[in-house]
Amino acid sequence: MQNNSNISIFASETGNNMKKRKKYTWLLLLFTSYWILGSIAAHAKPGGPGSTIKTVVIDPGHGGKDSGAAYGNAKEKDIVLDIALKLGNYIQASFPDVNVIYTRNRDVFVPLYRRAAIANKNSADLFISIHVNAVARGVVQGTETYILGQHRTEDNLEVAKKENAVILLEDDYHTTYEGFDPNSSESYIMFELVQDEYMEQSAMLASAVQDQFRIHAKRIDRSVKQAGFLVLRQTTMPSVLIETGFLNHPAERQFLQSKSGQEHLASAIFKAFKEYKKKVEARSSFNMVTETSGRNSPISNNSPDNNVETTSQNSTNIYFSVQIASLSNNVEPSAKNFKGEHNVFMQKKGKTYRYFCGRFNDVQQAREEQKRLKKKYSGAFVVAFENDNLVPVETVVRKL
């Protein structure tokens, strides 16, 4: 009888496990499909990763009926809104050409899916979500910045659960998030298959944020981490979620609530943004050159093929070329760095490195080369040199 009872219990447990596995397998399939659609949208977005940073969406977490973490009179929703607005002001003051969009600029409740939708709809180049942490026990303190991924520790999972739990305040969240339960560890199985094409850029920004928090704001660095945040999961651009400190720690709570503390935190995030922008845009210019087919420049109308050396500069030391890139970092203009292009040379002016392709005695030859290069580098243009100094093309043409 005992054996039969054990068999019956085992069979019941096995059946329940199978049902549960089927449930979450279906859930995983739904989210995987959703992820594929999101990736397609990301590829279709103008600019894409590595391009100029034109639009930034800043997301102050929580708001309205959702206070977020709270300790006494300190509320996460108020602190992060102040930091977010300060960050936006720093960006707009230094980069007036960058469009700064907030998911909220006042104390209102914004559903989680809407926050990501705002960034996606505006074809944002960057998404920054700002939060404040808290734990029920201990005196933990410090900052941590998250990127999308599978949680590696239970602590990371708990942070994700806490931030994702905001969906419970939304109407019909089961339908909106395809049955996702933020409090169930099994729901986070879906993040095991996440292949975030923006992970490299997200990690670059996250690392810069943590560096600036440590160096500029003098905060304890709890490092860059990965976890399954729904708001990051639904964005189609590089995205980070920043935890600026712990409300349960007395000194950190005082810092987070103070105007000075909020300015230090916002300034640190801005410095990280500035560093990230510089790196991404420099990389964009470099990629524009290195992603060529490796074909050498056509140099002379008398050449039997395109593999001969460029026409040497004439006796007056005046020649034409085509500018193909302008970088903030020095890249050796060797063939291996430029996919076999042997005719690339560089000139430095101030802190800028400018890269040119070919030397031509005749401006028409340079323009023919420009036509070829513009098919790959839309920004390619003809320049002129006299005694190896850049001069206006019209000035040189008049002299010849």
Side-chain angles (χ1 to χ4, degrees):
M1 290 295 293
Q2 183 66 37
N3 288 339
N4 289 339
S5 175
N6 288 340
I7 291 171
S8 177
I9 292 171
F10 176 77
S12 175
E13 289 177 347
T14 301
N16 289 335
N17 287 336
M18 288 180 67
K19 289 179 181 178
K20 185 177 291 186
R21 183 170 293 276
K22 285 181 180 179
K23 173 186 175 183
Y24 288 106
T25 299
W26 174 243
L27 179 65
L28 182 58
L29 287 172
L30 282 172
F31 270 93
T32 302
S33 299
Y34 188 63
W35 176 255
I36 292 171
L37 290 173
S39 296
I40 293 172
H43 284 297
K45 185 179 82 68
S51 60
T52 303
I53 308 299
K54 298 178 180 177
T55 302
V56 178
V57 170
I58 301 176
D59 173 43
H62 310 279
K65 62 183 177 181
D66 174 25
S67 296
Y71 199 100
N73 65 342
K75 295 180 180 179
E76 178 179 3
K77 67 174 184 177
D78 299 327
I79 294 170
V80 298
L81 179 58
D82 288 340
I83 294 172
L85 294 176
K86 286 178 172 62
L87 170 60
N89 288 336
Y90 282 133
I91 293 175
Q92 289 176 319
S94 295
F95 302 102
D97 56 326
V98 174
N99 183 24
V100 175
I101 298 172
Y102 302 94
T103 57
R104 67 180 182 96
N105 56 12
R106 53 197 175 91
D107 186 18
V108 293
F109 177 75
V110 181
L112 209 59
Y113 74 90
R114 280 287 304 145
R115 297 170 186 268
I118 290 169
N120 296 340
K121 180 180 178 181
N122 287 280
S123 297
D125 300 293
L126 197 59
F127 180 83
I128 302 173
S129 189
I130 302 175
H131 293 258
V132 171
N133 218 332
V135 293
R137 61 188 184 282
V139 285
V140 183
Q141 61 177 316
T143 66
E144 49 198 24
T145 302
Y146 285 87
I147 62 175
L148 181 65
Q150 183 185 3
H151 64 275
R152 305 298 180 189
T153 68
E154 286 301 314
D155 286 344
N156 292 7
L157 175 60
E158 289 308 311
V159 174
K161 282 183 175 180
K162 184 165 52 182
E163 298 298 354
N164 290 337
V166 66
I167 70 173
L168 301 178
L169 298 176
E170 300 177 22
D171 296 331
D172 197 18
Y173 71 89
H174 279 292
T175 301
T176 304
Y177 301 97
E178 290 103 342
F180 181 85
D181 180 359
N183 294 320
S184 170
S185 299
E186 289 165 315
S187 281
Y188 290 81
I189 293 172
M190 70 173 187
F191 291 100
E192 294 180 6
L193 295 184
V194 166
Q195 297 294 325
D196 185 7
E197 65 178 303
Y198 299 108
M199 183 173 289
E200 181 185 352
Q201 293 100 319
S202 300
M204 186 194 307
L205 175 60
S207 179
V209 169
Q210 286 302 120
D211 286 345
Q212 290 299 331
F213 277 155
R214 184 181 66 255
I215 298 167
H216 177 73
K218 309 301 181 185
R219 300 289 88 195
I220 293 176
D221 181 1
R222 290 175 56 85
S223 77
V224 175
K225 302 178 179 181
Q226 287 182 270
F229 294 94
L230 283 176
V231 71
L232 302 185
R233 169 71 172 72
Q234 294 182 317
T235 57
T236 55
M237 71 284 304
S239 305
V240 297
L241 188 147
I242 303 169
E243 296 283 0
T244 55
F246 286 80
L247 280 183
N248 56 287
H249 189 278
E252 198 148 85
R253 181 170 66 254
Q254 184 178 3
F255 181 82
L256 287 164
Q257 285 187 286
S258 70
K259 181 178 179 180
S260 173
Q262 291 169 4
E263 287 176 347
H264 272 82
L265 291 167
S267 177
I269 300 172
F270 165 72
K271 287 177 180 292
F273 165 79
K274 184 178 179 181
E275 177 185 334
Y276 171 85
K277 185 177 187 293
K278 181 178 179 181
K279 287 182 179 179
V280 167
E281 292 179 354
R283 176 182 296 184
S284 175
S285 296
F286 178 63
N287 286 343
M288 179 180 69
V289 177
T290 58
E291 290 174 2
T292 69
S293 63
R295 177 185 172 190
N296 288 327
S297 305
I299 302 305
S300 171
N301 292 335
N302 297 323
S303 301
D305 56 45
N306 293 326
N307 295 319
V308 297
E309 290 297 319
T310 59
T311 304
S312 60
Q313 61 192 47
N314 57 32
S315 57
T316 59
N317 207 23
I318 290 177
Y319 60 94
F320 302 92
S321 187
V322 180
Q323 180 168 320
I324 55 178
S326 179
L327 309 178
S328 58
N329 57 312
N330 186 9
V331 177
E332 178 65 29
S334 61
K336 66 178 181 179
N337 286 339
F338 291 90
K339 298 288 186 179
E341 290 284 355
H342 293 278
N343 303 313
V344 176
F345 64 99
M346 178 270 290
Q347 277 202 357
K348 182 183 179 183
K349 184 175 182 180
K351 295 182 179 180
T352 302
Y353 298 86
R354 301 174 68 174
Y355 292 82
F356 310 89
C357 190
R359 289 182 173 88
F360 308 91
N361 287 332
D362 186 84
V363 69
Q364 190 56 42
Q365 288 180 319
R367 286 170 180 161
E368 289 299 318
E369 176 71 342
Q370 179 196 20
K371 288 179 183 179
R372 181 183 74 85
L373 292 170
K374 278 184 74 70
K375 295 176 182 178
K376 302 171 184 177
Y377 325 125
S378 60
F381 60 94
V382 173
V383 296
F385 289 89
E386 184 172 11
N387 297 321
D388 290 326
N389 295 315
L390 278 168
V391 293
V393 173
E394 295 78 8
T395 301
V396 173
V397 169
R398 284 197 297 268
K399 288 185 177 182
L400 295 176

